[in-house]
Amino acid sequence: MKNVAVIGAGTMGNGIAHTFAQSGYKVQLIDISEDSLKKGMATISKNLDRMVAKEKISESDKNDTLNNITTYTEISEGVKEASLVVEAATENTELKLKIFRHLDQSTAEDTILATNTSSISITQIAAAVSNPQRVIGMHFMNPVPIMKLVEIIRGYNTSDEVTNIIMELSKKLHKVPVEVNDYPGFVANRILMPMINEAIETLYNGVAGVYEIDTVMKLGMAHPMGPLQLADFIGLDVCHSILEVMYDGFKNPKYAPCPLLTNMVRAGKIGVKSGEGFYDYSESKKAEKVSAQFSS
């Protein structure tokens, strides 16, 4: 496997492309937006510069990584030579199904099709292609170049051969793959999202403030960041979407998004990427200032 196509140049997509390219793979980074591709490549370059400054890689390593990536705005062009396609588009079921139907027509029969979805059923996505055995979940963690975990999710029809190939490939990327089965939220988000939602409920019910809730979880439970800060980092819209998928899948009210979370998403206060969520990021990307809404 030498050629890997990555669909989506956003936060996850450019991180996945960076990781494969740095490991020596030829990467075709695909996005319908030329601006998104430029931003994605700029992010990769910036992150590589940071690694050079920390002496984790050389300037030559950086240049080799960037040279391993080619950008495309057409899926059919970008996936032509790919042995593996990793879809990292927006967490939207209909969009993913549309992409996989396109991939079914644009790729060779033995090309492995992976999705970076954090919650949507692999089996449902695989139903969009004629050979669902070649479809698998490859859920990277953010930031992709740094985080070691990759959840490898088997759909109902995913073959043993495809699973074994992706498990070994993940190790070649210096990641730690963990195989899980296809149920809403998989493992990571099935456990994480109810915790985040409960933290939001705790704030919503007036039990404690933003800073206090996060401090309890950091100092009391040894979490590197509090759940409200983590929600901002992930994106409140993404958290809300994952909870809705889990609620729809399990029909259990414990997965229903907190009304406060729903209102914040509707208001566009979705965390770091909007400049405000539970914290105010107008002056710093670090969660140093609680949002005015919660600071009184």
Side-chain angles (χ1 to χ4, degrees):
M1 186 175 294
K2 295 181 179 179
N3 290 288
V4 178
V6 178
I7 299 177
T11 301
M12 296 305 295
N14 70 59
I16 294 167
H18 172 164
T19 300
F20 274 103
Q22 193 175 331
S23 295
Y25 294 88
K26 296 297 182 183
V27 178
Q28 293 81 52
L29 180 59
I30 307 163
D31 199 293
I32 59 171
S33 167
E34 189 69 50
D35 284 344
S36 293
L37 287 169
K38 289 177 181 177
K39 289 177 183 177
M41 290 302 298
T43 297
I44 293 170
S45 183
K46 183 178 178 181
N47 288 337
L48 288 167
D49 283 338
R50 191 176 292 117
M51 296 176 77
V52 171
K54 292 180 179 180
E55 298 184 346
K56 291 185 177 182
I57 62 171
S58 67
E59 189 70 30
S60 177
D61 293 330
K62 172 197 166 181
N63 292 332
D64 287 345
T65 298
L66 291 173
N67 288 334
N68 279 337
I69 304 173
T70 308
T71 60
Y72 294 84
T73 55
E74 294 287 340
I75 289 178
S76 55
E77 286 295 316
V79 301
K80 273 185 180 178
E81 305 298 326
S83 302
L84 167 68
V85 179
V86 182
E87 173 273 316
T90 304
E91 194 74 347
N92 177 286
T93 303
E94 289 307 313
L95 174 61
K96 291 183 186 295
L97 291 174
K98 180 180 178 181
I99 289 171
F100 273 78
R101 283 191 288 267
H102 193 162
L103 291 174
D104 191 41
Q105 303 298 319
S106 306
T107 57
E109 185 64 24
D110 59 351
T111 301
I112 296 174
L113 306 179
T115 173
N116 183 59
T117 181
S118 55
S119 62
I120 299 168
S121 167
I122 307 304
T123 304
Q124 181 181 6
I125 292 172
V129 306
S130 55
N131 178 16
Q133 292 186 336
R134 64 178 175 141
V135 179
I136 193 165
M138 201 175 186
H139 180 207
F140 291 86
M141 304 292 131
N142 185 29
V144 180
I146 296 172
M147 299 290 278
K148 291 292 186 182
L149 175 66
V150 184
E151 267 189 312
I152 307 299
I153 307 105
R154 293 185 66 135
Y156 191 84
N157 293 304
T158 306
S159 71
D160 290 340
E161 180 185 7
V162 166
T163 303
N164 292 335
I165 289 171
I166 295 302
M167 291 287 285
E168 290 305 311
L169 174 64
S170 300
K171 293 174 185 176
K172 291 177 182 177
L173 297 175
H174 307 291
K175 302 297 185 185
V176 178
V178 176
E179 182 182 337
V180 306
N181 290 318
D182 185 21
Y183 291 94
F186 316 132
V187 171
N189 283 321
R190 184 169 179 170
I191 295 170
L192 175 62
M193 287 302 152
M195 183 192 74
I196 285 176
N197 202 40
E198 193 62 30
I200 299 171
E201 285 278 1
T202 303
L203 176 65
Y204 180 57
N205 292 330
V207 178
V210 170
Y211 172 80
E212 289 74 17
I213 291 168
D214 277 355
T215 299
V216 166
M217 296 304 292
K218 285 190 289 187
L219 300 186
M221 284 68 186
H223 290 195
M225 66 174 71
L228 300 176
Q229 180 186 356
L230 180 56
D232 275 356
F233 180 70
I234 295 169
L236 303 192
D237 54 337
V238 176
C239 294
H240 193 273
S241 175
I242 294 169
L243 285 164
E244 285 191 315
V245 168
M246 293 169 65
Y247 180 57
D248 182 61
F250 290 116
K251 300 297 189 291
N252 188 324
K254 75 177 181 179
Y255 298 115
C258 174
L260 174 58
L261 175 59
T262 300
N263 277 344
M264 291 179 71
V265 172
R266 286 173 177 168
K269 308 292 187 181
I270 57 175
V272 177
K273 59 189 173 185
S274 72
E276 185 180 354
F278 294 105
Y279 293 86
D280 184 336
Y281 302 96
S282 59
E283 297 177 3
S284 171
K285 295 298 183 184
K286 297 179 181 178
E288 298 172 330
K289 181 181 177 183
V290 173
S291 174
Q293 179 183 351
F294 305 113
S295 61
S296 57

